[in-house]
Amino acid sequence: MKLKNIRLKLSETLGTFLLFTCMAFFQPIVAQTTQNFSNINVDQLSDAQIKQFIQQVEAQGLSESQLEQVAAARGMSAAEVSKLRARVNKIKQAGSASTNTTTNKENTSEAGDGKGTRELNFKDDAAPVDATGSTSRVFGAELFRNSGITFEPNLRIATPQNYQLGPDDELIIDIYGYSEANYRLRISPEGNINIPYVGIISVGGQSIEQASQRIRSRLTSIYPNMRSGNTKVNISLGNIRSIKVVLLGEVTKPGTYTLPSLATVFNALYSSGGPSENGSFRDIQIIRNNRTIARLDVYEFLLRGFQRNNIRLQDQDVIMIPPYKKRVEFSGEVKRPAIFEATANETLADIISFAGGFTSEAYTARIKVIQNTPKERRITDVFSEAFSTYLPQNGDKYFAEPILDRFENRVSITGAVFRPGQYQLEQGLTLTQLIRKAEGVTEDAFLPRGYLTRLRADNTPELIAFDLAEILNGTGPDITLQREDQITISSIFDLREEYRVTIEGEVRSPGTIDYAENMSLEDLIVLAGGFREGASQKRIEISRRVKDSEAGAANSRIAQVYQVDVDQNLVLQGPKFILQPFDIVLVRNAAGYEVQRQVRVEGEVLYPGTYTITRKDERISDLLKRVGGLTDLAYLSGASLIRSDASEKGSGKQRINTDVEDQKKLARLQRLQETLKDSTDIQRQQTFLRNDYVGIDLERILDKPKSKLDLILEEGDVLRIPKQLQTVKVSGEVLYPTTSIYNGGKSFRQYISDAGGFSDNSLKKRSYVIYANGSVRSTKKFFLFNNYPMVKPGAEIFVPKKAEQKKLTASEIVGLTSGIASLGAIILGVLNLIK
């Protein structure tokens, strides 16, 4: 956070800065000592030293930018100045976060004379707040809280010739030529300087120009070559003194401020936060020696950029801000709505100028004024002729209204004209003339009828129909238009359903196409990209809507179907068939045309890979002959057939796949993954999510080819034959899920025992076995005994979990007990009646 708004006394400026720089070497020095800071390394300074420096800065009244200027003037490099700024900002931010200080905090110290001197430590970008807590709208109040405007005096400018010297100012006397000498002399409290070999010279109260002449005159006696010009002297101002200025009256932060001697009135106002909510911005008084020497009007700077009477301050000057005398508020359609302060002779025109003038939407003929009377409020209208003579009163509230949202001379035309839109209503404008302004009607205009929407006297709309053809031909009466008339001319396309035709089947781009008059069947096929390779040019079917169907008859025709033959070159072999809107054309497959269908064989076969189905009735046994037979390691019992959805859809089966089913399949595949670790590719689990395992018995298929077990192949089938499997996996609700070596002599219960036995949550009667070929066998019940399925190599035994039973709550137990007790009482009562 930058150190802004630090406005304190600048006396002993050089001494304070030297004190900080020498703290790096732990050497205290006297304030008047001069040093070269080109060798200072900021990185070697500790945080404690920089904190001590900050305290000294706040006590001596230097802002951050002023410190940088002095450091640069003393030889500190730009890089070190940047490091110094960064270190100070970092420490200030850390201190602000830890103490949680408010933005407009004031600290009173005992620096200087210790009476009323203020150290400012507040954010200058905070907007003034009124009694209700809302941001102030007083024009000019944001000037002294705007972080973009600092009003800091520039310490590196040339010495002003009218600058009056005083105690603690530093003069730099540089003698060069035949004689060379350099002196940095501070003016004593008595206003004197002591030049070696020259003596004491009084310069206090003199301008820099007057002091220079006196010093040159005295130096001539010691350096006679100055008369001939061989020796020259340059006199400039070094470090400047600080002055005390008192700000009284309606000030945001009243008190005594220590400022640089180059400070102006704006510097002091900025340090104190400017006028308060009740302070005047138009009559700020500068008092010197009990006499008002200037009056500052902030509006001249805000509105014109003039800094008249922004004079340079002197020690013990008093800035008095009186309460405002006349304030008015301007809101509404002005460019700068705010609360403005007016002087005695300013008029309403001046207030409008303060507000930046009217906006483009303002009603400038009249302004509403709300005034305060001794008893109540009243409203007054001020017309534009009186703006320059009307004198505002204190508390007036002006409001500039917007212009009416309506047109005095507008008509509009929409629809089938070349230039639809809004037009000027001229005296005697007719419908024909308006159409002529719109460049006429388009070719598709619906001429039998147009509509005119007109507002009645009570602003209710009225619809007037007219014959557009008669008006354009001159055979019908023309219509004289009125304000806000709206003419609508429809297009013939707007009054009917959009005409389209549809083509489906064996064309390259099937879909819906816009209809055109005299469109033929061949035209539509060409627009659809032509025939596909397997399209039949015979018996192309066109279905057409029926418009004269018998609504009450049960056997009434609902569509009319035509069959048309075309040749491959799209030349009709008969009369030209013209399509009508909404026709549906269907191009069928050629008879006997077949697309290749392929299957894949994986696993323990001699030639695995992809094969094309050669016959419609080709079976699994035929495919095994084509792959060269099985290897010695083939495990026939584990062979499986994967059939994809595409084949089922092709066979016309309806299939429902849900996310739940997909998750079940994925879980099954994951359970089989470790079991089927062979040459079969199992990594494409996501591909198999929408595939189904068909449990096949390959041994019986090879024994009895062409039997019902020997399935006919379909597009996308995958035949997988794993190698000999030697393990059995046990998972689910067992104590230790594991994979065991297959032993033909072991039963289902023995494999469960190898896994530690059933767990307490196991559902034994629902246990099942997943075989390597994808088939599943579940446990069956025989009387009170479980008949577990047989286990084969590569199988997985899965024990499901019992469903969690909900425990009875205390209220449910009480209710159940009460019900049983009531039932027992009823039974006892009945038994007693029987006896």
Side-chain angles (χ1 to χ4, degrees):
M1 184 184 302
K2 297 188 67 177
L3 299 175
K4 294 184 178 179
N5 300 320
I6 302 176
R7 300 295 184 272
L8 298 171
K9 64 181 180 177
L10 196 60
S11 60
E12 300 178 354
T13 301
L14 179 59
T16 303
F17 185 75
L18 293 177
L19 178 63
F20 161 70
T21 55
C22 291
M23 279 192 294
F25 308 99
F26 302 97
Q27 296 177 357
I29 61 174
V30 184
Q32 287 81 3
T33 303
T34 60
Q35 292 285 342
N36 184 1
F37 306 144
S38 59
N39 296 326
I40 298 299
N41 188 348
V42 177
D43 293 335
Q44 295 178 357
L45 302 177
S46 65
D47 289 346
Q49 291 172 331
I50 293 184
K51 288 180 180 179
Q52 184 178 356
F53 158 68
I54 293 174
Q55 294 174 358
Q56 293 289 337
V57 166
E58 293 177 348
Q60 296 300 325
L62 286 179
S63 69
E64 182 178 337
S65 60
Q66 293 168 342
L67 284 177
E68 296 172 8
Q69 294 171 6
V70 174
R74 288 298 174 199
M76 181 177 285
S77 64
E80 294 298 324
V81 171
S82 178
K83 291 180 182 179
L84 176 62
R85 183 193 313 118
R87 291 285 299 277
V88 172
N89 290 341
K90 181 178 179 181
I91 293 176
K92 292 293 290 183
Q93 289 175 355
S96 175
S98 61
T99 58
N100 194 21
T101 58
T102 58
T103 57
N104 290 332
K105 182 178 179 181
E106 297 180 5
N107 296 321
T108 303
S109 69
E110 297 297 330
D113 55 9
K115 297 180 180 179
T117 302
R118 291 181 178 270
E119 289 186 1
L120 299 183
N121 183 20
F122 58 91
K123 286 185 178 180
D124 50 53
D125 56 352
V129 178
D130 59 17
T132 62
S134 61
T135 303
S136 173
R137 296 177 59 243
V138 176
F139 178 66
E142 71 279 1
L143 176 66
F144 303 105
R145 286 100 174 155
N146 188 354
S147 59
I149 304 177
T150 60
F151 294 108
E152 292 180 352
N154 191 352
L155 301 181
R156 303 186 67 179
I157 63 174
T159 303
Q161 293 298 318
N162 61 349
Y163 177 79
Q164 290 186 352
L165 299 174
D168 290 332
D169 278 341
E170 184 185 48
L171 288 177
I172 302 175
I173 302 174
D174 188 12
I175 303 172
Y176 58 95
Y178 282 4
S179 300
E180 293 185 356
N182 183 272
Y183 304 105
R184 302 181 69 92
L185 305 174
R186 186 177 297 277
I187 301 175
S188 67
E190 292 78 17
N192 300 325
I193 60 173
N194 189 355
I195 304 177
Y197 309 110
V198 176
I200 297 175
I201 302 175
S202 177
V203 294
Q206 298 181 2
S207 67
I208 189 68
E209 185 177 6
Q210 294 171 345
S212 298
Q213 293 177 357
R214 177 172 293 187
I215 294 172
R216 284 191 180 94
S217 177
R218 295 288 299 273
L219 289 175
T220 304
S221 61
I222 305 300
Y223 302 98
N225 287 327
M226 290 181 60
R227 296 188 181 92
S228 62
N230 294 326
T231 299
K232 297 182 180 180
V233 61
N234 181 47
I235 303 171
S236 62
L237 186 66
N239 290 322
I240 60 176
R241 69 185 184 276
S242 61
I243 60 174
K244 290 182 181 295
V245 178
V246 181
L247 283 92
L248 300 175
E250 299 297 329
V251 188
T252 303
K253 312 289 182 185
T256 301
Y257 290 83
T258 301
L259 302 172
S261 57
L262 292 176
T264 63
V265 180
F266 272 127
N267 301 141
L269 291 175
Y270 184 76
S271 299
S272 64
S276 64
E277 280 295 302
N278 295 323
S280 172
F281 285 79
R282 308 296 305 276
D283 188 26
I284 299 175
Q285 303 171 16
I286 300 93
I287 302 172
R288 182 175 298 164
N289 297 327
N290 299 324
R291 185 171 60 89
T292 302
I293 62 172
R295 294 177 182 269
L296 178 66
D297 187 351
V298 179
Y299 278 25
E300 290 190 354
F301 175 73
L302 293 174
L303 300 174
R304 302 178 181 87
F306 298 161
Q307 297 192 45
R308 184 166 48 189
N309 291 334
N310 182 26
I311 62 176
R312 185 174 294 110
L313 297 174
Q314 295 185 10
D315 193 34
Q316 301 304 322
D317 278 354
V318 176
I319 299 177
M320 179 67 183
I321 303 180
Y324 70 86
K325 295 180 180 180
K326 185 190 298 185
R327 271 186 186 173
V328 297
E329 181 178 356
F330 213 131
S331 59
E333 295 298 325
V334 288
K335 297 177 182 176
R336 194 162 43 222
I339 299 174
F340 300 96
E341 184 177 351
T343 59
N345 298 324
E346 287 177 340
T347 63
L348 178 56
D350 297 319
I351 305 300
I352 296 174
S353 177
F354 295 163
F358 295 104
T359 65
S360 58
E361 301 293 329
Y363 176 61
T364 60
R366 180 180 59 197
I367 292 179
K368 292 188 179 297
V369 185
I370 299 177
Q371 295 179 319
N372 298 327
T373 67
K375 181 179 179 181
E376 55 190 358
R377 295 182 179 181
R378 69 178 179 185
I379 187 169
T380 305
D381 291 336
V382 181
F383 294 91
S384 57
E385 309 86 52
F387 288 171
S388 59
T389 59
Y390 182 85
L391 295 177
Q393 303 296 322
N394 186 33
D396 284 357
K397 294 184 179 181
Y398 302 97
F399 180 76
E401 297 179 309
I403 59 176
L404 299 178
D405 188 16
R406 56 177 289 172
F407 290 85
E408 64 179 9
N409 62 340
R410 179 180 65 174
V411 292
S412 61
I413 183 170
T414 58
V417 292
F418 284 104
R419 294 189 181 276
Q422 299 176 353
Y423 290 89
Q424 175 187 358
L425 176 62
E426 300 171 346
Q427 185 67 28
L429 182 67
T430 62
L431 177 59
T432 305
Q433 294 172 346
L434 178 60
I435 294 175
R436 193 178 298 116
K437 283 186 175 184
E439 303 293 343
V441 297
T442 60
E443 294 81 357
D444 60 329
F446 183 69
L447 300 179
R449 183 180 292 270
Y451 291 98
L452 168 63
T453 304
R454 173 168 292 173
L455 295 180
R456 295 178 177 176
D458 58 354
N459 271 352
T460 57
E462 177 186 9
L463 191 65
I464 301 174
F466 56 86
D467 191 326
L468 181 59
E470 291 184 357
I471 293 177
L472 294 179
N473 295 332
T475 58
D478 205 349
I479 301 175
T480 302
L481 300 179
Q482 300 179 9
R483 186 184 69 85
E484 295 297 334
D485 279 354
Q486 298 179 5
I487 293 88
T488 303
I489 298 177
S490 301
S491 169
I492 58 175
F493 301 111
D494 297 334
L495 303 177
R496 72 182 188 189
E497 188 177 355
E498 188 174 3
Y499 287 172
R500 291 178 177 271
V501 290
T502 303
I503 183 169
E504 299 175 352
E506 295 300 312
V507 290
R508 296 179 61 237
S509 300
T512 302
I513 298 175
D514 292 337
Y515 173 78
E517 293 291 338
N518 296 322
M519 177 184 286
S520 65
L521 176 60
E522 292 82 356
D523 299 332
L524 179 60
I525 295 174
V526 171
L527 292 175
F531 291 114
R532 288 182 180 173
E533 181 66 26
S536 173
Q537 294 82 30
K538 305 295 183 182
R539 300 174 61 86
I540 296 177
E541 188 173 276
I542 300 99
S543 58
R544 182 167 294 168
R545 291 181 178 181
V546 175
K547 300 180 181 180
D548 55 354
S549 175
E550 297 180 10
N555 60 348
S556 61
R557 176 175 293 183
I558 60 175
Q560 189 173 2
V561 179
Y562 303 90
Q563 290 185 348
V564 180
D565 297 341
V566 298
D567 66 6
Q568 191 172 2
N569 296 323
L570 298 177
V571 177
L572 277 175
Q573 296 180 354
K576 185 177 181 181
F577 188 88
I578 303 299
L579 299 176
Q580 293 185 8
F582 312 111
D583 282 355
I584 299 176
V585 179
L586 180 61
V587 180
R588 304 186 184 280
N589 284 328
Y593 181 83
E594 293 288 344
V595 179
Q596 299 94 327
R597 292 179 290 174
Q598 294 181 321
V599 296
R600 191 169 72 252
V601 181
E602 300 175 348
E604 298 301 317
V605 294
L606 292 180
Y607 302 102
T610 301
Y611 290 84
T612 301
I613 300 175
T614 59
R615 304 190 317 273
K616 292 184 177 180
D617 62 344
E618 187 168 1
R619 298 175 182 268
I620 296 177
S621 58
D622 299 326
L623 181 60
L624 290 177
K625 294 177 182 179
R626 295 174 61 188
V627 301
L630 306 173
T631 64
D632 295 338
L633 296 178
Y635 178 50
L636 300 183
S637 298
S640 62
L641 180 68
I642 300 175
R643 179 154 289 177
S644 63
D645 286 345
S647 61
E648 295 189 0
K649 292 178 181 178
S651 62
K653 295 182 180 179
Q654 184 178 3
R655 180 174 180 81
I656 300 176
N657 275 313
T658 63
D659 292 339
V660 176
E661 292 297 326
D662 288 344
Q663 293 298 327
K664 290 180 179 178
K665 288 183 181 181
L666 181 59
R668 184 180 67 182
L669 288 169
Q670 290 173 343
R671 292 195 301 270
L672 287 174
Q673 185 173 7
E674 294 184 3
T675 304
L676 301 178
K677 286 183 178 178
D678 55 12
S679 60
T680 305
D681 183 10
I682 307 224
Q683 297 179 356
R684 297 190 297 271
Q685 295 184 9
Q686 295 295 337
T687 304
F688 296 149
L689 269 180
R690 297 193 176 276
N691 298 334
D692 277 339
Y693 280 89
V694 179
I696 60 174
D697 191 341
L698 191 57
E699 293 181 355
R700 297 178 63 183
I701 291 175
L702 294 178
D703 291 341
K704 296 182 179 181
K706 309 297 181 181
S707 64
K708 62 180 181 179
L709 298 177
D710 193 3
L711 300 179
I712 297 175
L713 297 174
E714 298 287 350
E715 168 73 19
D717 283 354
V718 179
L719 179 62
R720 305 173 60 194
I721 303 174
K723 67 173 59 174
Q724 185 65 40
L725 301 174
Q726 302 175 350
T727 59
V728 174
K729 184 176 181 180
V730 183
S731 58
E733 292 300 319
V734 291
L735 295 179
Y736 188 77
T738 186
T739 299
S740 303
I741 299 176
Y742 174 76
N743 188 344
K746 284 187 178 181
S747 65
F748 183 95
R749 292 298 297 266
Q750 289 175 327
Y751 284 109
I752 296 294
S753 297
D754 291 344
F758 293 105
S759 67
D760 295 337
N761 295 326
S762 62
L763 188 61
K764 302 177 184 179
K765 62 181 179 181
R766 298 298 184 188
S767 301
Y768 59 90
V769 176
I770 304 174
Y771 296 105
N773 65 349
S775 60
V776 181
R777 294 288 179 86
S778 61
T779 301
K780 296 182 180 179
K781 201 76 172 179
F782 182 75
F783 291 107
L784 299 177
F785 303 99
N786 292 327
N787 185 14
Y788 296 107
M790 181 176 61
V791 180
K792 295 182 180 180
E796 178 187 1
I797 300 174
F798 189 80
V799 181
K801 183 180 180 180
K802 291 180 180 179
E804 295 183 0
Q805 296 181 353
K806 182 180 177 181
K807 296 182 179 180
L808 295 177
T809 63
S811 59
E812 291 174 342
I813 294 175
V814 171
L816 181 61
T817 305
S818 301
I820 295 174
S822 300
L823 180 61
I826 293 173
I827 294 174
L828 291 175
V830 172
L831 293 176
N832 291 331
L833 291 175
I834 294 175
K835 293 179 180 180

